[in-house]
Amino acid sequence: MEFKSLKEKTYAMEQAFFSPYAAYSHDTRGRDRNELPCAMRTEYQRDRDRLVYCKSFRRLKNKTQVFFSPEGDHYVTRLTHTLDVAQIARSIARALSLNEDLAEAIALGHDLGHTPFGHSGERILNNLAPNGFEHNVQSLRVVEILEKDGKGLNLTFEVRDGILNHKKSGKPVTLEGKCVSLADRIAYINHDLDDAVRAGILKYKDIPKEISGVLGVGSRERINTAITSVYNRSKGKNLVEMDPEVERASEKLREFMFERVYFTDSARGEEEKAERMLSAMYSHFIANVLDLPETYRLLLDKFDREQVVCDYLSSMTDRYALYIFNNIFVPKGWAFINEIK
């Protein structure tokens, strides 16, 4: 069989190998703005490339996952978490004969709207903003509006839907979106646990036997158990989920992490510092919108100042937030030119 383009070859491969429940690339609901098609790449492949090269994706490397500005090179950042989710989502999609390109694109974009200082930053902005703040909603706003100086990335409907609905409470329209939602939970619980052990907060032997006996002890074993469970439960069906035993053990591990890591006194102490910083900057920029960068000032023609200030603060990396806070609120030293003669 001869193909006119590489994309047509991809379409044929999807028809030959995909599950009937997969999202076929040629059946996409498309983009909000029409574009000339690419001869080589499917629309989901194009979305994946756009996400990898956007500014918000690059900033993820300096955004906290759990621990604020950890001292060490091997802690999980928001970027490495995103790559973990993409890898796990692809593994699940491949096992179930779903569209790996779509799953990867959703995974790469799912946390673009996350705040500095991890989930603490999200809780803080949610309390500050009159309309609340949710990172999945902000991630969608990033790809639809904020990227490319207010033009957005013009992604396909299926990728945007998966980004918006990646939280456990979400209802993505594709099984690939469900792969990402499940992969997100698998990734953050398991790798946050590894970070807690690395930080000396926990030891693997602290994990209750009722959890480790089902999931395993090491990260590789736990993740393999989860993916295998999803495959055994979901193969040949119009669903993506774990079997009940592994699901219960995973939920117990999540509860264990909240009790022993996320809500400890030391974690709360750092969150209080982050709250003072973000609250002070939020109040400052609400009162002084001209201090916002030009890209964000231009948004004030379309959106209220509270939304735009949240856009700016949530875009910051941990280090940039510290820099801006110091620049606004920390007094600078005096320079005495003739002090020493």
Side-chain angles (χ1 to χ4, degrees):
M1 181 180 295
E2 195 170 322
F3 300 102
K4 293 180 179 179
S5 67
L6 179 59
K7 183 170 64 175
E8 289 188 356
K9 183 179 179 181
T10 302
Y11 287 162
M13 291 175 63
E14 291 181 2
Q15 289 291 337
F17 297 110
F18 274 10
S19 160
Y21 306 113
Y24 290 77
S25 298
H26 61 75
D27 289 336
T28 175
R29 297 192 202 179
R31 310 175 187 278
D32 283 345
R33 302 188 300 276
N34 290 330
E35 299 179 6
L36 290 174
C38 175
M40 295 184 64
R41 297 169 297 164
T42 70
E43 297 307 311
Y44 300 145
Q45 290 170 345
R46 294 178 80 187
D47 284 357
R48 184 255 182 208
D49 293 349
R50 290 180 188 189
L51 287 159
V52 166
Y53 291 112
C54 75
K55 293 178 181 178
S56 300
F57 184 80
R58 291 197 292 270
R59 288 198 296 268
L60 294 176
K61 67 181 179 179
N62 289 318
K63 288 195 176 189
T64 287
Q65 172 68 13
V66 176
F67 301 99
F68 296 168
S69 300
E71 294 296 330
D73 293 332
H74 301 118
Y75 289 93
V76 176
T77 66
R78 189 60 60 181
L79 177 61
T80 54
H81 163 73
T82 294
L83 297 177
D84 289 339
V85 173
Q87 178 61 34
I88 294 171
R90 284 193 71 116
S91 295
I92 295 172
R94 185 183 308 118
L96 298 178
S97 299
L98 301 176
N99 195 320
E100 291 182 52
D101 293 327
L102 173 56
E104 183 178 23
I106 295 169
L108 293 175
H110 84 283
D111 268 357
L112 292 183
H114 233 301
T115 61
F117 311 125
H119 287 286
S120 295
E122 181 176 14
R123 286 192 292 271
I124 293 163
L125 279 189
N126 186 50
N127 290 330
L128 290 171
N131 297 321
F133 181 93
E134 294 181 274
H135 78 273
N136 59 313
V137 176
Q138 188 66 20
S139 295
L140 182 63
R141 183 170 167 80
V142 167
V143 300
E144 287 189 335
I145 297 170
L146 301 181
E147 271 293 332
K148 297 187 71 173
D149 297 326
K151 298 176 184 177
L153 298 178
N154 197 29
L155 303 181
T156 57
F157 167 83
E158 292 80 7
V159 173
R160 289 181 284 125
D161 170 81
I163 289 172
L164 179 63
N165 289 287
H166 77 267
K167 292 172 69 173
K168 186 176 181 180
S169 59
K171 298 187 185 324
V173 298
T174 65
L175 291 188
E176 290 79 3
K178 293 178 182 178
C179 288
V180 174
S181 179
L182 201 51
D184 185 33
R185 282 175 272 151
I186 293 170
Y188 87 75
I189 288 296
N190 285 290
H191 293 124
D192 289 357
L193 174 56
D194 290 341
D195 273 358
V197 171
R198 190 173 290 115
I201 296 172
L202 292 175
K203 296 180 180 178
Y204 288 121
K205 66 180 182 180
D206 295 332
I207 304 172
K209 295 293 184 183
E210 61 180 327
I211 297 174
S212 60
V214 175
L215 301 180
V217 178
S219 175
R220 181 172 65 177
E221 186 179 357
R222 295 191 306 270
I223 293 173
N224 185 65
T225 297
I227 294 175
T228 302
S229 170
V230 174
Y231 172 72
N232 291 333
R233 177 77 169 176
S234 310
K235 60 183 176 181
K237 300 175 184 176
N238 188 18
L239 55 83
V240 178
E241 61 186 34
M242 298 181 194
D243 67 62
E245 182 184 24
V246 174
E247 177 71 31
R248 284 193 297 270
S250 298
E251 187 58 33
K252 288 178 181 177
L253 178 58
R254 181 176 179 274
E255 293 170 359
F256 173 76
M257 289 293 291
F258 271 93
E259 178 184 341
R260 296 290 300 273
V261 178
Y262 301 140
F263 287 161
T264 60
D265 290 341
S266 58
R268 288 181 183 277
E270 293 303 303
E271 183 169 328
E272 288 176 4
K273 297 176 186 176
E275 182 172 8
R276 287 195 292 271
M277 285 182 53
L278 290 176
S279 296
M281 288 194 290
Y282 181 85
S283 297
H284 173 82
F285 287 115
I286 289 293
N288 302 277
V289 291
L290 293 180
D291 288 350
L292 291 166
E294 182 181 8
T295 302
Y296 292 92
R297 292 200 305 271
L298 294 174
L299 293 171
L300 293 169
D301 293 335
K302 297 180 180 179
F303 306 101
D304 60 55
R305 66 177 61 195
E306 290 81 6
Q307 177 62 66
V308 174
V309 170
C310 280
D311 289 337
Y312 182 44
L313 294 180
S314 63
S315 75
M316 294 180 176
T317 64
D318 294 19
R319 289 191 291 185
Y320 187 69
L322 289 168
Y323 167 78
I324 293 297
F325 177 84
N326 286 333
N327 196 47
I328 296 172
F329 296 106
V330 177
K332 296 177 176 61
W334 289 73
F336 295 97
I337 298 175
N338 297 317
E339 183 176 10
I340 300 174
K341 290 277 187 171

